[in-house]
Every structure is written in structure tokens, then in C-alpha cells.
């Protein structure tokens, strides 16, 4: 027990500490929201660039207050992204005193990898998947069934469309972190994950079908990275098993590489 921080506080002290961490997190979100709301036009301009690149030059709003609420949504969306390191740090500060030193060392890299992987997934969505989806979906305007048609997306619908992609890809890229945490906690083993590979492939395409538009290109652009991330997690778990085996050869069981 001597490698646990020597504060064994009662429940009330834990609740007070939790409230303090939540207040710090809320303050960070509020400060970021104020700054992002001031720059909401620039942020929205950045989000609209894929639509302009797809040849769509007009966005409409169908309700008087829609444009204002879109600015609020954009500001809140950006504020959550910017304040995530502070929120993650507050969560770590709350959880860390109850962990052993080896548990802290094991979990800290996952804490650092989470924002990096989320940004990588969101970047893939913004620079690759969203343009592909827009080109496909906007390709139906023109002469549709003998009737002239023109796409006139509302600013609210377009923002929801972009956010769905960014969050779906960002969360999907956290798959290696989730699998490695499950293996570290002893819930699954690498052998079980290797045996479930075929089901993981089916699940990847099912997730892509739900999280992306119905065009096959967008679905492949999410499903293929998911499968590759699953394989990457298997390789990373294999390396962690080898490292554990060197530290504790009696407790660690050698398994063949996939």
C-alpha cells in the first residue's frame, strides 16, 4: 500500500474533490466558449470549406434564429475540442491518487494518446471523407427525373452533417486505446481478440454503415481505418505482453504472434 498516495479520504472529501474538478472543467469550457464564440465566423468558414470545394456556394437558414444558434453550436463544439486537455487533466488529477505507481505509468500513455488519435480521426474525416461524401451526394443535383433540381442545404443541416463525421471518425480512432485498456484490465486477451478478428471486420463495416452516408466510398473510408486500427491494437498488445514477460517471466504467458 505504500505506493498509493497516502490520502485515504472519506466519501465526503471525494465528493468535494469531484465537485472541484468538475468546476475547473466547466470553467475551462466556459472560457474556451467565450473565445470560440468571438471567432465563430472564422471557425464556421473553416468547416464550410469542403462544401465550397464541392461546388456548393450557397447555404440557407429557414428560421430567423437558426443562424444565431448555429454560431452557438460551432462555438461549443470548438470549445469542447480546445478544453479537452484540461478536462482530461482534471479527470487524471481526480483518479491518480487512488492508483498504484505501476497503474499510473500504464494509464498515462493512454491519456496522452487519446487527443492525438481523436484529432487524427477528425482530420481524416475533414480532409478526405467529407469531401468524398459531398461530391457524391451533391452529384444528384441537376436534372433529377426530368426535373431541374438544385441542392440548397440549410446551415443547421450542414453543421450536423460535419459534426457527425468529425465525432464518428474521432471516436473510431480511439479503438486501439479502448482495446489496450480492456486487455490491461484483464477483460480480454490478445488471443481472444485475434479469434474475434472476423467479427471485428463485420462490426467495422456495420459501424461505417451507420455513421456515414449510404455511399460505399464513405463507408470504406471509415471501415478500412477501423480494421487497420484493430490490427494495430493487436500488435501493440503483443509488444506490451513481451515487455510484461521480460519483467515477470513466471506470471506472463507467451502467446504466438498473429
Amino acid at each position: 500500500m505504500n505506493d498509493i498516495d497516502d490520502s485515504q479520504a472519506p466519501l465526503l472529501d471525494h465528493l468535494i474533490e469531484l465537485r472541484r474538478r468538475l468546476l475547473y472543467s466547466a470553467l475551462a469550457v466556459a472560457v474556451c466558449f467565450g473565445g470560440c464564440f468571438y471567432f465563430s465566423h472564422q471557425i464556421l468558414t473553416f468547416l464550410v470549406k469542403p462544401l465550397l470545394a464541392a461546388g456548393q456556394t450557397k447555404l440557407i437558414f429557414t428560421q430567423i434564429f437558426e443562424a444565431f444558434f448555429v454560431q452557438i453550436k460551432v462555438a461549443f463544439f470548438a470549445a469542447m475540442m480546445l478544453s479537452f486537455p484540461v478536462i482530461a487533466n482534471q479527470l487524471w488529477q481526480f483518479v491518480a491518487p487512488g492508483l498504484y505507481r505501476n497503474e499510473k505509468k500504464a494509464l498515462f500513455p493512454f491519456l496522452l494518446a487519446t487527443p492525438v488519435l481523436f484529432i487524427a480521426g477528425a482530420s481524416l474525416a475533414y480532409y478526405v471523407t467529407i469531401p468524398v461524401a459531398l461530391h457524391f451526394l451533391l452529384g444528384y443535383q441537376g436534372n433529377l427525373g426530368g426535373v431541374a433540381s438544385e441542392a440548397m442545404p440549410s446551415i443547421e443541416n450542414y453543421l450536423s452533417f460535419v459534426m457527425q463525421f468529425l465525432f464518428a471518425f474521432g471516436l473510431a480512432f480511439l479503438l486501439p486505446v479502448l482495446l489496450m485498456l480492456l486487455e490491461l484490465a484483464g477483460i480480454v486477451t490478445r488471443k481472444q481478440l485475434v479469434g474475434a478478428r472476423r467479427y471485428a471486420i463485420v462490426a467495422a463495416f456495420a459501424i461505417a454503415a451507420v455513421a456515414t452516408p449510404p455511399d460505399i466510398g464513405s463507408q470504406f473510408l471509415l471501415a478500412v481505418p477501423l480494421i487497420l486500427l484493430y490490427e494495430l491494437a493487436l500488435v501493440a498488445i503483443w509488444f506490451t505482453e513481451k515487455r510484461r514477460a521480460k519483467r515477470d517471466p513466471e506470471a506472463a504467458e507467451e502467446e504466438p504472434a498473429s
Side-chain angles (χ1 to χ4, degrees):
M1 296 291 289
N2 55 1
D3 64 335
I4 298 181
D5 293 351
D6 49 12
S7 60
Q8 294 189 359
L11 177 60
L12 182 60
D13 289 346
H14 285 302
L15 292 176
I16 293 173
E17 177 69 10
L18 177 61
R19 183 184 66 178
R20 187 161 68 95
R21 298 301 174 187
L22 289 175
L23 285 175
Y24 285 153
S25 299
L27 180 61
V29 173
V31 171
C32 291
F33 177 81
C36 292
F37 186 78
Y38 182 79
F39 292 102
S40 58
H41 284 286
Q42 290 86 339
I43 298 171
L44 187 58
T45 299
F46 176 76
L47 294 176
V48 168
K49 280 184 179 180
L51 187 66
L52 295 175
Q56 184 70 24
T57 59
K58 184 184 295 184
L59 278 173
I60 65 170
F61 58 93
T62 57
Q63 297 176 344
I64 295 176
F65 51 81
E66 184 175 349
F68 172 72
F69 279 111
V70 162
Q71 283 187 265
I72 292 179
K73 286 184 178 181
V74 166
F76 183 74
F77 172 72
M80 291 299 296
M81 299 282 287
L82 289 177
S83 62
F84 177 80
V86 177
I87 296 173
N89 180 262
Q90 293 302 313
L91 177 62
W92 176 255
Q93 293 293 332
F94 178 72
V95 173
L99 299 176
Y100 291 97
R101 271 199 206 94
N102 61 338
E103 292 173 334
K104 292 179 184 179
K105 290 180 181 179
L107 290 176
F108 190 68
F110 296 109
L111 185 66
L112 296 178
T114 297
V116 174
L117 289 172
F118 186 90
I119 291 173
S123 299
L124 176 65
Y126 179 83
Y127 290 106
V128 179
T129 311
I130 291 176
V132 169
L134 288 174
H135 278 289
F136 173 80
L137 297 172
L138 293 175
Y140 284 96
Q141 63 180 330
N143 188 4
L144 186 62
V147 180
S149 60
E150 180 183 1
M152 298 182 68
S154 73
I155 190 169
E156 171 73 23
N157 288 338
Y158 176 74
L159 184 62
S160 298
F161 173 82
V162 171
M163 286 184 174
Q164 175 188 351
F165 267 93
L166 295 180
F167 274 114
F169 275 72
L171 293 176
F173 269 57
L174 299 181
L175 178 64
V177 172
L178 175 62
L179 293 178
M180 293 187 73
L181 285 175
L182 290 175
E183 192 274 338
L184 187 66
I187 298 174
V188 296
T189 64
R190 189 180 65 87
K191 186 176 181 180
Q192 290 174 330
L193 293 174
V194 170
R197 181 183 277 126
R198 67 186 70 179
Y199 304 107
I201 294 173
V202 174
F205 279 96
I207 293 171
V210 173
T212 63
D215 65 292
I216 193 67
S218 299
Q219 292 176 12
F220 266 94
L221 286 173
L222 178 56
V224 172
L226 275 176
I227 296 170
L228 293 177
L229 288 168
Y230 189 88
E231 296 296 330
L232 177 64
L234 293 179
V235 174
I237 291 172
W238 181 77
F239 276 110
T240 58
E241 284 181 345
K242 292 295 182 183
R243 193 177 307 147
R244 285 200 300 264
K246 289 180 180 179
R247 286 200 307 262
D248 190 1
E250 295 180 359
E253 295 181 1
E254 297 276 347
E255 292 182 4
S258 59

